[in-house]
Amino acid sequence: MIFFKKQSDTHFYLYEKMTKLSRNKNFYRACNFLDTIDGRFEMLLLHIILLVRKLNSEGEEHLAQLVVDLMFSTIDLSFREEGVGDLSIPKKMKKVGKVFYGRIASLDNILKMEDKNKRKDETINYFIRNAFLSDENYKTHAEKLSDYVNSLDKLLKNKEVEGILKISEEDLFIF
C-alpha cells in the first residue's frame, strides 16, 4: 500500500480569509467604493498583497506563492465562468499578472517608508490612482482606505499564520 503525505491546505484557508475580509461591505459603503467586479478585484489584490508581504517577511515564500497561485487560478476560473473564451484567457491573465505585480511593487515600496506621514500620503495617492481612477474628489475615502491598510499591515505583522486565520471583520473595523 502506498501512503501519500497530505499537503497542508493552509494556503486555501489564508486565501479564503483574505477574500472574506476583502468583501467587507464597510469598504463599499464608507469609502464610496464601487461594489463591482473591478472594485472587488482591487480589494482582493490589496488583501493578498498585504498577506504576501507578511509571509515573505517571515521566510514563508513558498506559502506566499501558493496563495498567489490560488488567487490566479480563481481569477482564471472566474473568467471562464463569465464566458471568456479559451483563446482570450491568456491575454486577460497576463494583464491581471501585470496589475498584481505592479501593485505589489508599488504598495511594498510605500509600506517600507519609515516616515509615517509620507507613508500615509503615498498610500492615499496609491488609492486615488488605482481605486478611484485618479479622481481627487475621493481623497477622504482614500484616507480611510489608507488607515485601513496601515491597520491591517500592523495586525498581520503581529500575528502568526494561525492567528491570521482568526482575524475577524470586527478586528479591522475602523470606518
Side-chain angles (χ1 to χ4, degrees):
M1 179 177 263
I2 299 173
F3 294 96
F4 294 97
K5 182 178 178 185
K6 184 177 180 193
Q7 189 178 26
S8 172
D9 290 336
T10 304
H11 64 291
F12 284 107
Y13 299 123
L14 288 169
Y15 180 76
E16 178 183 48
K17 175 56 70 177
M18 293 300 112
T19 301
K20 183 177 180 182
L21 292 174
S22 74
R23 292 187 180 161
N24 182 342
K25 293 294 180 189
N26 292 314
F27 293 124
Y28 306 99
R29 277 189 230 120
C31 296
N32 201 19
F33 205 76
L34 295 177
D35 191 1
T36 62
I37 291 172
D38 290 339
R40 287 182 178 213
F41 176 69
E42 281 297 330
M43 292 312 313
L44 176 63
L45 287 185
L46 172 67
H47 286 79
I48 297 298
I49 288 168
L50 293 175
L51 176 64
V52 166
R53 285 185 80 246
K54 156 64 173 175
L55 295 173
N56 285 337
S57 74
E58 297 201 349
E60 294 281 355
E61 291 89 358
H62 180 68
L63 182 56
Q65 188 61 53
L66 288 172
V67 171
V68 171
D69 291 347
L70 180 58
M71 178 191 72
F72 280 110
S73 295
T74 304
I75 292 169
D76 180 286
L77 180 63
S78 295
F79 283 145
R80 293 176 191 282
E81 288 175 347
E82 288 176 8
V84 175
D86 288 342
L87 296 176
S88 299
I89 295 287
K91 288 183 239 170
K92 286 192 171 282
M93 291 306 296
K94 185 175 182 180
K95 193 175 195 180
V96 168
K98 283 183 178 180
V99 169
F100 176 73
Y101 289 108
R103 299 270 200 286
I104 200 168
S106 178
L107 199 53
D108 191 48
N109 287 335
I110 292 168
L111 294 174
K112 285 180 181 175
M113 293 178 179
E114 296 292 326
D115 183 341
K116 288 183 181 183
N117 292 327
K118 184 162 176 61
R119 184 174 57 226
K120 181 170 179 150
D121 289 343
E122 289 300 318
T123 309
I124 290 167
N125 290 333
Y126 169 89
F127 282 117
I128 289 172
R129 189 175 57 251
N130 295 310
F132 297 114
L133 305 173
S134 299
D135 187 343
E136 290 288 331
N137 293 322
Y138 289 97
K139 187 170 182 170
T140 56
H141 304 300
E143 287 175 4
K144 290 177 185 178
L145 286 171
S146 174
D147 290 341
Y148 175 80
V149 164
N150 287 305
S151 174
L152 179 57
D153 192 48
K154 183 178 178 182
L155 182 64
L156 290 174
K157 283 180 184 175
N158 295 320
K159 298 273 185 190
E160 298 294 324
V161 170
E162 295 79 24
I164 292 171
L165 296 173
K166 295 176 183 172
I167 295 173
S168 70
E169 290 178 5
E170 292 77 32
D171 293 332
L172 296 166
F173 187 77
I174 61 166
F175 301 116

